[in-house]
Amino acid sequence: MSTPATTGNDRSGLSGPPAGAIRTITLAATDDFDGWRSAARALAIADIAPDRVEWRVDGDVGDLFGETVEPPPVTARSRALTAPRHFIDLARQAACHRDPERFALLYTALWRIQRNPGFASDRADPLMQRIEGLAKAVRRDIHKMRAFVRFREIEDDDGTQRFVAWFEPEHHIVRANARFFVERFANMRWSILTPDLSIHWDGETLSETAGAIRGDAPGGDPIEDVWKSYYASIFNPARVKIGAMMKEMPRKYWKNMPETALIPALVAGAQAREAEMIAEAQQSAAAPGSNRSGAWQALRREAQGCTRCPLHRCASQTVFGEGPVDAALMFVGEQPGDQEDLAGRPFVGPAGQLFDRALIDAGIDRGATYVTNAVKHFKFVARGKRRIHQSPAVGEIDACRWWLDQERALVLPRVTVALGATAARAIFGKAMAIGKSRSRPFALSERAEAWVTVHPSYLLRLPDAEKHDAYRAFVDDLRAAAQRVS
Ligand code: URA
């Protein structure tokens, strides 16, 4: 982003207007965080009070007649000015909000941090609360764009294929989100048109043009059938919670999403999942150019920043699934334990070792399977130096199902094995009695089924006298499920 311009009503002094004058900082764009940062840094060093600064964005009304001067120079001292990393991250997000006061609020906070370094962590302060609120709304909008952009296929004038999507973000998030779409759809040529800004990817270069109107984007074409099929194949009417769905997928996005036309019929109980639809969906995921593993990597990266439930606050990291993205057999555990949390990999601690042994005894190559958890963050209570496992709450399982559903939609396993009650709940969307449901298949669709068995930790906790038989039954379940793949 370009260097911000400053306008002022007095030009005397080292850095333009004197400290008492109002300075107008004009940023290059609505999301010009770098411009804000460099101007704010110089202003804070020059000790310019927040009420002496007016923040504008290039092109704003009222900007036309201002005199442009350089912002206070960046000196060795200004380079030493610091703010906590978490404040900078928060400010970067909040800067994308549509609130016209966002840059002024951020500068006020920065100025106060210079006087009280603890201010950035003061969650009770109304200013920090407001900034947190802005950042949260932006994160949500970013997430919505990732979830609800739907491409339609068109042919360019030169006969080449391009995918075009129309999206109306609430905030200035399009640039902040561009990298995600580049990574996720690296092999496609695509454009995302939005009212303020349009971005285009030609397979090598990302470019920008001005905003567009809805009519510039195609209104629907055969690719929609694939989306609809895909959606229908992963839609489980038994799991629909209308309130939660409306919250996650507000109606304003429905008009851009072909599959939402299906919702009334699906909600009404239409469970027909045609085999050809699923084949189509599978093809769309595996077709050349679909970049399935790129999509998985982008998903994994996105999950690293997950804040969908409070568990991220205490856990060391998101522990995502691992294994081939086209694995026919998927195992779903409960949540990472202490060792998984540190290693960043599922099933590597004591339960993982027992699981590995059972896989070998069942004749299953773990490397050919996809192993993941229903909940991606470790939940625990600290007791001295120990971190004691806590079972995830239903709300946490439901929040995290966002990731599991996406893993399952990408991998499309023929057989999914739920290890324990939490995994079963995440897969079926309701509580399942393990004793009653284990050792038999449950059809998820014409080509996919789920099995339920015990969790390896359960075997570890059993009295010695019961361990042997329970272990044998567990191995039998794994073997029986794996045999269904072939
Ligand atoms: N238990 C689980 O459910 N998952 C792991 O990754 C480790 C222990």
Side-chain angles (χ1 to χ4, degrees), residues 188-227:
M188 283 164 45
R189 288 156 42 84
W190 52 258
S191 297
I192 301 177
L193 313 184
T194 82
D196 294 332
L197 173 74
S198 301
I199 53 174
H200 316 271
W201 174 251
D202 64 6
E204 286 177 2
T205 316
L206 187 70
S207 57
E208 291 181 3
T209 56
I213 56 169
R214 168 187 284 280
D216 294 335
D221 65 43
I223 195 91
E224 293 196 353
D225 290 340
V226 177
W227 267 113

mmCIF file of all heavy atoms in Angstrom, residues 188-227:
data_model
loop_
_atom_site.group_PDB
_atom_site.id
_atom_site.type_symbol
_atom_site.label_atom_id
_atom_site.label_comp_id
_atom_site.label_asym_id
_atom_site.label_seq_id
_atom_site.Cartn_x
_atom_site.Cartn_y
_atom_site.Cartn_z
ATOM 1 N N MET A 188 -7.141 -23.164 -11.003
ATOM 2 C CA MET A 188 -8.271 -22.622 -11.781
ATOM 3 C C MET A 188 -7.985 -21.174 -12.149
ATOM 4 O O MET A 188 -7.246 -20.490 -11.457
ATOM 5 C CB MET A 188 -9.540 -22.643 -10.909
ATOM 6 C CG MET A 188 -10.165 -23.989 -10.767
ATOM 7 S SD MET A 188 -11.358 -24.066 -9.384
ATOM 8 C CE MET A 188 -12.347 -22.584 -9.531
ATOM 9 N N ARG A 189 -8.611 -20.711 -13.216
ATOM 10 C CA ARG A 189 -8.611 -19.268 -13.504
ATOM 11 C C ARG A 189 -9.931 -18.739 -12.953
ATOM 12 O O ARG A 189 -10.990 -19.249 -13.328
ATOM 13 C CB ARG A 189 -8.540 -19.026 -15.020
ATOM 14 C CG ARG A 189 -7.188 -19.339 -15.643
ATOM 15 C CD ARG A 189 -7.306 -19.656 -17.123
ATOM 16 N NE ARG A 189 -8.223 -18.793 -17.840
ATOM 17 C CZ ARG A 189 -7.932 -17.591 -18.341
ATOM 18 N NH1 ARG A 189 -6.696 -17.133 -18.239
ATOM 19 N NH2 ARG A 189 -8.814 -16.866 -18.964
ATOM 20 N N TRP A 190 -9.846 -17.804 -12.051
ATOM 21 C CA TRP A 190 -11.092 -17.366 -11.427
ATOM 22 C C TRP A 190 -11.115 -15.859 -11.162
ATOM 23 O O TRP A 190 -10.054 -15.207 -11.126
ATOM 24 C CB TRP A 190 -11.359 -18.120 -10.124
ATOM 25 C CG TRP A 190 -10.241 -18.146 -9.109
ATOM 26 C CD1 TRP A 190 -9.392 -19.175 -8.862
ATOM 27 C CD2 TRP A 190 -9.847 -17.093 -8.199
ATOM 28 N NE1 TRP A 190 -8.515 -18.846 -7.860
ATOM 29 C CE2 TRP A 190 -8.773 -17.578 -7.435
ATOM 30 C CE3 TRP A 190 -10.306 -15.799 -7.962
ATOM 31 C CZ2 TRP A 190 -8.133 -16.804 -6.445
ATOM 32 C CZ3 TRP A 190 -9.666 -15.029 -6.975
ATOM 33 C CH2 TRP A 190 -8.600 -15.536 -6.245
ATOM 34 N N SER A 191 -12.329 -15.361 -10.974
ATOM 35 C CA SER A 191 -12.532 -13.959 -10.562
ATOM 36 C C SER A 191 -13.557 -13.946 -9.444
ATOM 37 O O SER A 191 -14.536 -14.694 -9.498
ATOM 38 C CB SER A 191 -13.098 -13.126 -11.717
ATOM 39 O OG SER A 191 -12.191 -13.072 -12.779
ATOM 40 N N ILE A 192 -13.300 -13.127 -8.459
ATOM 41 C CA ILE A 192 -14.330 -12.892 -7.433
ATOM 42 C C ILE A 192 -14.727 -11.427 -7.535
ATOM 43 O O ILE A 192 -13.888 -10.530 -7.335
ATOM 44 C CB ILE A 192 -13.823 -13.237 -6.021
ATOM 45 C CG1 ILE A 192 -13.390 -14.711 -5.960
ATOM 46 C CG2 ILE A 192 -14.919 -12.968 -4.995
ATOM 47 C CD1 ILE A 192 -12.800 -15.146 -4.632
ATOM 48 N N LEU A 193 -15.971 -11.194 -7.880
ATOM 49 C CA LEU A 193 -16.466 -9.827 -8.043
ATOM 50 C C LEU A 193 -17.196 -9.411 -6.772
ATOM 51 O O LEU A 193 -18.006 -10.184 -6.245
ATOM 52 C CB LEU A 193 -17.432 -9.752 -9.234
ATOM 53 C CG LEU A 193 -16.994 -10.430 -10.538
ATOM 54 C CD1 LEU A 193 -18.025 -10.173 -11.634
ATOM 55 C CD2 LEU A 193 -15.620 -9.931 -10.986
ATOM 56 N N THR A 194 -16.875 -8.225 -6.286
ATOM 57 C CA THR A 194 -17.587 -7.704 -5.107
ATOM 58 C C THR A 194 -17.880 -6.229 -5.374
ATOM 59 O O THR A 194 -17.299 -5.638 -6.281
ATOM 60 C CB THR A 194 -16.758 -7.847 -3.804
ATOM 61 O OG1 THR A 194 -15.831 -6.753 -3.708
ATOM 62 C CG2 THR A 194 -16.014 -9.172 -3.733
ATOM 63 N N PRO A 195 -18.759 -5.623 -4.603
ATOM 64 C CA PRO A 195 -19.132 -4.234 -4.908
ATOM 65 C C PRO A 195 -17.961 -3.247 -4.829
ATOM 66 O O PRO A 195 -17.944 -2.254 -5.550
ATOM 67 C CB PRO A 195 -20.179 -3.909 -3.843
ATOM 68 C CG PRO A 195 -20.726 -5.231 -3.431
ATOM 69 C CD PRO A 195 -19.597 -6.205 -3.541
ATOM 70 N N ASP A 196 -16.986 -3.484 -3.975
ATOM 71 C CA ASP A 196 -15.911 -2.505 -3.803
ATOM 72 C C ASP A 196 -14.661 -2.846 -4.585
ATOM 73 O O ASP A 196 -13.854 -1.961 -4.890
ATOM 74 C CB ASP A 196 -15.517 -2.403 -2.313
ATOM 75 C CG ASP A 196 -16.640 -1.831 -1.491
ATOM 76 O OD1 ASP A 196 -17.435 -1.055 -2.057
ATOM 77 O OD2 ASP A 196 -16.737 -2.165 -0.301
ATOM 78 N N LEU A 197 -14.447 -4.103 -4.859
ATOM 79 C CA LEU A 197 -13.164 -4.538 -5.425
ATOM 80 C C LEU A 197 -13.356 -5.914 -6.053
ATOM 81 O O LEU A 197 -14.069 -6.754 -5.500
ATOM 82 C CB LEU A 197 -12.154 -4.640 -4.261
ATOM 83 C CG LEU A 197 -10.782 -5.229 -4.539
ATOM 84 C CD1 LEU A 197 -9.946 -4.218 -5.330
ATOM 85 C CD2 LEU A 197 -10.064 -5.543 -3.225
ATOM 86 N N SER A 198 -12.692 -6.135 -7.177
ATOM 87 C CA SER A 198 -12.751 -7.475 -7.787
ATOM 88 C C SER A 198 -11.336 -8.015 -7.875
ATOM 89 O O SER A 198 -10.391 -7.261 -8.143
ATOM 90 C CB SER A 198 -13.359 -7.398 -9.183
ATOM 91 O OG SER A 198 -14.653 -6.855 -9.100
ATOM 92 N N ILE A 199 -11.184 -9.299 -7.635
ATOM 93 C CA ILE A 199 -9.856 -9.909 -7.725
ATOM 94 C C ILE A 199 -9.893 -11.040 -8.748
ATOM 95 O O ILE A 199 -10.926 -11.693 -8.938
ATOM 96 C CB ILE A 199 -9.330 -10.402 -6.362
ATOM 97 C CG1 ILE A 199 -10.347 -11.327 -5.677
ATOM 98 C CG2 ILE A 199 -8.973 -9.245 -5.467
ATOM 99 C CD1 ILE A 199 -9.814 -11.970 -4.398
ATOM 100 N N HIS A 200 -8.745 -11.247 -9.397
ATOM 101 C CA HIS A 200 -8.676 -12.202 -10.500
ATOM 102 C C HIS A 200 -7.392 -13.011 -10.381
ATOM 103 O O HIS A 200 -6.334 -12.464 -10.082
ATOM 104 C CB HIS A 200 -8.672 -11.458 -11.847
ATOM 105 C CG HIS A 200 -9.677 -10.356 -11.911
ATOM 106 N ND1 HIS A 200 -10.969 -10.555 -12.328
ATOM 107 C CD2 HIS A 200 -9.587 -9.027 -11.573
ATOM 108 C CE1 HIS A 200 -11.634 -9.404 -12.247
ATOM 109 N NE2 HIS A 200 -10.815 -8.467 -11.792
ATOM 110 N N TRP A 201 -7.510 -14.298 -10.664
ATOM 111 C CA TRP A 201 -6.341 -15.184 -10.628
ATOM 112 C C TRP A 201 -6.261 -15.880 -11.977
ATOM 113 O O TRP A 201 -7.244 -16.487 -12.428
ATOM 114 C CB TRP A 201 -6.502 -16.192 -9.491
ATOM 115 C CG TRP A 201 -5.446 -17.254 -9.419
ATOM 116 C CD1 TRP A 201 -5.596 -18.579 -9.702
ATOM 117 C CD2 TRP A 201 -4.072 -17.090 -9.014
ATOM 118 N NE1 TRP A 201 -4.410 -19.244 -9.500
ATOM 119 C CE2 TRP A 201 -3.457 -18.353 -9.081
ATOM 120 C CE3 TRP A 201 -3.318 -15.991 -8.617
ATOM 121 C CZ2 TRP A 201 -2.122 -18.556 -8.756
ATOM 122 C CZ3 TRP A 201 -1.983 -16.192 -8.292
ATOM 123 C CH2 TRP A 201 -1.394 -17.455 -8.359
ATOM 124 N N ASP A 202 -5.089 -15.776 -12.622
ATOM 125 C CA ASP A 202 -4.959 -16.411 -13.942
ATOM 126 C C ASP A 202 -4.095 -17.666 -13.874
ATOM 127 O O ASP A 202 -3.596 -18.145 -14.876
ATOM 128 C CB ASP A 202 -4.380 -15.410 -14.952
ATOM 129 C CG ASP A 202 -2.965 -14.988 -14.591
ATOM 130 O OD1 ASP A 202 -2.384 -15.537 -13.634
ATOM 131 O OD2 ASP A 202 -2.416 -14.109 -15.287
ATOM 132 N N GLY A 203 -3.883 -18.176 -12.675
ATOM 133 C CA GLY A 203 -3.043 -19.362 -12.519
ATOM 134 C C GLY A 203 -1.640 -18.990 -12.077
ATOM 135 O O GLY A 203 -0.905 -19.827 -11.559
ATOM 136 N N GLU A 204 -1.268 -17.708 -12.276
ATOM 137 C CA GLU A 204 0.078 -17.264 -11.889
ATOM 138 C C GLU A 204 0.053 -15.955 -11.113
ATOM 139 O O GLU A 204 0.819 -15.743 -10.206
ATOM 140 C CB GLU A 204 0.945 -17.055 -13.143
ATOM 141 C CG GLU A 204 1.356 -18.374 -13.757
ATOM 142 C CD GLU A 204 2.151 -18.188 -15.029
ATOM 143 O OE1 GLU A 204 2.419 -17.033 -15.421
ATOM 144 O OE2 GLU A 204 2.488 -19.211 -15.636
ATOM 145 N N THR A 205 -0.836 -15.061 -11.545
ATOM 146 C CA THR A 205 -0.794 -13.707 -10.991
ATOM 147 C C THR A 205 -2.166 -13.327 -10.449
ATOM 148 O O THR A 205 -3.191 -13.653 -11.065
ATOM 149 C CB THR A 205 -0.436 -12.684 -12.104
ATOM 150 O OG1 THR A 205 0.624 -13.237 -12.856
ATOM 151 C CG2 THR A 205 -0.031 -11.352 -11.532
ATOM 152 N N LEU A 206 -2.108 -12.639 -9.333
ATOM 153 C CA LEU A 206 -3.342 -12.098 -8.756
ATOM 154 C C LEU A 206 -3.453 -10.650 -9.173
ATOM 155 O O LEU A 206 -2.478 -9.893 -9.057
ATOM 156 C CB LEU A 206 -3.266 -12.209 -7.231
ATOM 157 C CG LEU A 206 -4.535 -11.856 -6.465
ATOM 158 C CD1 LEU A 206 -5.613 -12.907 -6.690
ATOM 159 C CD2 LEU A 206 -4.235 -11.741 -4.982
ATOM 160 N N SER A 207 -4.590 -10.232 -9.685
ATOM 161 C CA SER A 207 -4.748 -8.824 -10.054
ATOM 162 C C SER A 207 -6.068 -8.294 -9.498
ATOM 163 O O SER A 207 -6.930 -9.068 -9.061
ATOM 164 C CB SER A 207 -4.688 -8.658 -11.570
ATOM 165 O OG SER A 207 -5.677 -9.465 -12.167
ATOM 166 N N GLU A 208 -6.181 -6.974 -9.522
ATOM 167 C CA GLU A 208 -7.372 -6.327 -8.966
ATOM 168 C C GLU A 208 -7.995 -5.426 -10.010
ATOM 169 O O GLU A 208 -7.278 -4.821 -10.805
ATOM 170 C CB GLU A 208 -6.983 -5.421 -7.783
ATOM 171 C CG GLU A 208 -6.508 -6.158 -6.582
ATOM 172 C CD GLU A 208 -6.177 -5.184 -5.448
ATOM 173 O OE1 GLU A 208 -6.371 -3.952 -5.599
ATOM 174 O OE2 GLU A 208 -5.705 -5.665 -4.413
ATOM 175 N N THR A 209 -9.295 -5.318 -10.000
ATOM 176 C CA THR A 209 -9.980 -4.263 -10.739
ATOM 177 C C THR A 209 -11.032 -3.670 -9.819
ATOM 178 O O THR A 209 -11.215 -4.128 -8.690
ATOM 179 C CB THR A 209 -10.664 -4.811 -12.026
ATOM 180 O OG1 THR A 209 -11.539 -5.872 -11.644
ATOM 181 C CG2 THR A 209 -9.652 -5.332 -13.034
ATOM 182 N N ALA A 210 -11.726 -2.654 -10.337
ATOM 183 C CA ALA A 210 -12.697 -1.949 -9.500
ATOM 184 C C ALA A 210 -13.843 -2.881 -9.100
ATOM 185 O O ALA A 210 -13.956 -3.993 -9.618
ATOM 186 C CB ALA A 210 -13.237 -0.765 -10.288
ATOM 187 N N GLY A 211 -14.692 -2.380 -8.240
ATOM 188 C CA GLY A 211 -15.852 -3.147 -7.816
ATOM 189 C C GLY A 211 -16.777 -3.430 -8.996
ATOM 190 O O GLY A 211 -16.631 -2.855 -10.076
ATOM 191 N N ALA A 212 -17.705 -4.330 -8.773
ATOM 192 C CA ALA A 212 -18.598 -4.743 -9.856
ATOM 193 C C ALA A 212 -20.028 -4.707 -9.344
ATOM 194 O O ALA A 212 -20.280 -4.350 -8.184
ATOM 195 C CB ALA A 212 -18.223 -6.151 -10.305
ATOM 196 N N ILE A 213 -20.939 -5.040 -10.210
ATOM 197 C CA ILE A 213 -22.332 -5.206 -9.778
ATOM 198 C C ILE A 213 -22.725 -6.660 -10.019
ATOM 199 O O ILE A 213 -22.093 -7.357 -10.804
ATOM 200 C CB ILE A 213 -23.297 -4.257 -10.515
ATOM 201 C CG1 ILE A 213 -23.158 -4.451 -12.036
ATOM 202 C CG2 ILE A 213 -23.078 -2.822 -10.108
ATOM 203 C CD1 ILE A 213 -24.234 -3.759 -12.820
ATOM 204 N N ARG A 214 -23.762 -7.049 -9.320
ATOM 205 C CA ARG A 214 -24.164 -8.459 -9.395
ATOM 206 C C ARG A 214 -24.360 -8.921 -10.835
ATOM 207 O O ARG A 214 -23.994 -10.036 -11.205
ATOM 208 C CB ARG A 214 -25.454 -8.631 -8.614
ATOM 209 C CG ARG A 214 -26.128 -9.960 -8.838
ATOM 210 C CD ARG A 214 -27.472 -9.963 -8.146
ATOM 211 N NE ARG A 214 -27.281 -10.116 -6.730
ATOM 212 C CZ ARG A 214 -27.055 -11.295 -6.146
ATOM 213 N NH1 ARG A 214 -26.991 -12.370 -6.874
ATOM 214 N NH2 ARG A 214 -26.877 -11.383 -4.867
ATOM 215 N N GLY A 215 -24.914 -8.023 -11.666
ATOM 216 C CA GLY A 215 -25.201 -8.391 -13.052
ATOM 217 C C GLY A 215 -23.942 -8.726 -13.848
ATOM 218 O O GLY A 215 -24.024 -9.341 -14.909
ATOM 219 N N ASP A 216 -22.750 -8.332 -13.347
ATOM 220 C CA ASP A 216 -21.505 -8.659 -14.066
ATOM 221 C C ASP A 216 -21.146 -10.128 -13.911
ATOM 222 O O ASP A 216 -20.318 -10.651 -14.650
ATOM 223 C CB ASP A 216 -20.331 -7.821 -13.521
ATOM 224 C CG ASP A 216 -20.520 -6.344 -13.818
ATOM 225 O OD1 ASP A 216 -21.239 -6.040 -14.791
ATOM 226 O OD2 ASP A 216 -19.965 -5.508 -13.084
ATOM 227 N N ALA A 217 -21.719 -10.780 -12.905
ATOM 228 C CA ALA A 217 -21.384 -12.190 -12.670
ATOM 229 C C ALA A 217 -22.451 -13.062 -13.305
ATOM 230 O O ALA A 217 -23.621 -12.671 -13.369
ATOM 231 C CB ALA A 217 -21.321 -12.457 -11.165
ATOM 232 N N PRO A 218 -22.040 -14.237 -13.786
ATOM 233 C CA PRO A 218 -23.043 -15.124 -14.391
ATOM 234 C C PRO A 218 -24.042 -15.588 -13.348
ATOM 235 O O PRO A 218 -23.711 -15.735 -12.175
ATOM 236 C CB PRO A 218 -22.211 -16.289 -14.924
ATOM 237 C CG PRO A 218 -20.924 -16.236 -14.180
ATOM 238 C CD PRO A 218 -20.702 -14.817 -13.773
ATOM 239 N N GLY A 219 -25.255 -15.834 -13.788
ATOM 240 C CA GLY A 219 -26.327 -16.126 -12.835
ATOM 241 C C GLY A 219 -26.556 -17.595 -12.577
ATOM 242 O O GLY A 219 -27.372 -17.957 -11.764
ATOM 243 N N GLY A 220 -25.887 -18.449 -13.256
ATOM 244 C CA GLY A 220 -26.124 -19.884 -13.030
ATOM 245 C C GLY A 220 -25.838 -20.664 -14.295
ATOM 246 O O GLY A 220 -26.088 -20.188 -15.379
ATOM 247 N N ASP A 221 -25.298 -21.821 -14.163
ATOM 248 C CA ASP A 221 -24.960 -22.639 -15.316
ATOM 249 C C ASP A 221 -24.792 -24.080 -14.865
ATOM 250 O O ASP A 221 -25.010 -24.393 -13.690
ATOM 251 C CB ASP A 221 -23.676 -22.110 -15.991
ATOM 252 C CG ASP A 221 -22.489 -22.236 -15.096
ATOM 253 O OD1 ASP A 221 -22.351 -23.287 -14.453
ATOM 254 O OD2 ASP A 221 -21.695 -21.291 -15.021
ATOM 255 N N PRO A 222 -24.372 -24.968 -15.743
ATOM 256 C CA PRO A 222 -24.360 -26.389 -15.378
ATOM 257 C C PRO A 222 -23.498 -26.721 -14.168
ATOM 258 O O PRO A 222 -23.768 -27.689 -13.475
ATOM 259 C CB PRO A 222 -23.803 -27.069 -16.632
ATOM 260 C CG PRO A 222 -24.127 -26.125 -17.746
ATOM 261 C CD PRO A 222 -24.061 -24.765 -17.153
ATOM 262 N N ILE A 223 -22.459 -25.943 -13.872
ATOM 263 C CA ILE A 223 -21.609 -26.293 -12.729
ATOM 264 C C ILE A 223 -22.443 -26.291 -11.444
ATOM 265 O O ILE A 223 -22.136 -26.969 -10.481
ATOM 266 C CB ILE A 223 -20.410 -25.324 -12.603
ATOM 267 C CG1 ILE A 223 -19.348 -25.898 -11.668
ATOM 268 C CG2 ILE A 223 -20.816 -23.982 -12.077
ATOM 269 C CD1 ILE A 223 -18.329 -26.694 -12.360
ATOM 270 N N GLU A 224 -23.535 -25.510 -11.484
ATOM 271 C CA GLU A 224 -24.367 -25.454 -10.281
ATOM 272 C C GLU A 224 -24.934 -26.824 -9.943
ATOM 273 O O GLU A 224 -25.159 -27.152 -8.796
ATOM 274 C CB GLU A 224 -25.491 -24.445 -10.481
ATOM 275 C CG GLU A 224 -24.947 -23.049 -10.568
ATOM 276 C CD GLU A 224 -25.995 -21.996 -10.394
ATOM 277 O OE1 GLU A 224 -27.181 -22.326 -10.333
ATOM 278 O OE2 GLU A 224 -25.608 -20.833 -10.295
ATOM 279 N N ASP A 225 -25.177 -27.605 -10.968
ATOM 280 C CA ASP A 225 -25.721 -28.942 -10.699
ATOM 281 C C ASP A 225 -24.728 -29.756 -9.884
ATOM 282 O O ASP A 225 -25.099 -30.547 -9.031
ATOM 283 C CB ASP A 225 -26.032 -29.668 -12.014
ATOM 284 C CG ASP A 225 -27.216 -29.026 -12.700
ATOM 285 O OD1 ASP A 225 -27.979 -28.325 -12.010
ATOM 286 O OD2 ASP A 225 -27.341 -29.207 -13.915
ATOM 287 N N VAL A 226 -23.442 -29.552 -10.188
ATOM 288 C CA VAL A 226 -22.422 -30.290 -9.448
ATOM 289 C C VAL A 226 -22.410 -29.831 -7.998
ATOM 290 O O VAL A 226 -22.389 -30.636 -7.068
ATOM 291 C CB VAL A 226 -21.036 -30.089 -10.094
ATOM 292 C CG1 VAL A 226 -19.977 -30.796 -9.272
ATOM 293 C CG2 VAL A 226 -21.047 -30.618 -11.524
ATOM 294 N N TRP A 227 -22.481 -28.512 -7.818
ATOM 295 C CA TRP A 227 -22.517 -28.001 -6.442
ATOM 296 C C TRP A 227 -23.713 -28.556 -5.696
ATOM 297 O O TRP A 227 -23.641 -28.976 -4.558
ATOM 298 C CB TRP A 227 -22.617 -26.456 -6.464
ATOM 299 C CG TRP A 227 -21.292 -25.795 -6.398
ATOM 300 C CD1 TRP A 227 -20.703 -25.070 -7.385
ATOM 301 C CD2 TRP A 227 -20.377 -25.786 -5.303
ATOM 302 N NE1 TRP A 227 -19.488 -24.622 -6.969
ATOM 303 C CE2 TRP A 227 -19.254 -25.045 -5.701
ATOM 304 C CE3 TRP A 227 -20.382 -26.348 -4.023
ATOM 305 C CZ2 TRP A 227 -18.161 -24.833 -4.880
ATOM 306 C CZ3 TRP A 227 -19.294 -26.137 -3.198
ATOM 307 C CH2 TRP A 227 -18.210 -25.391 -3.643
#
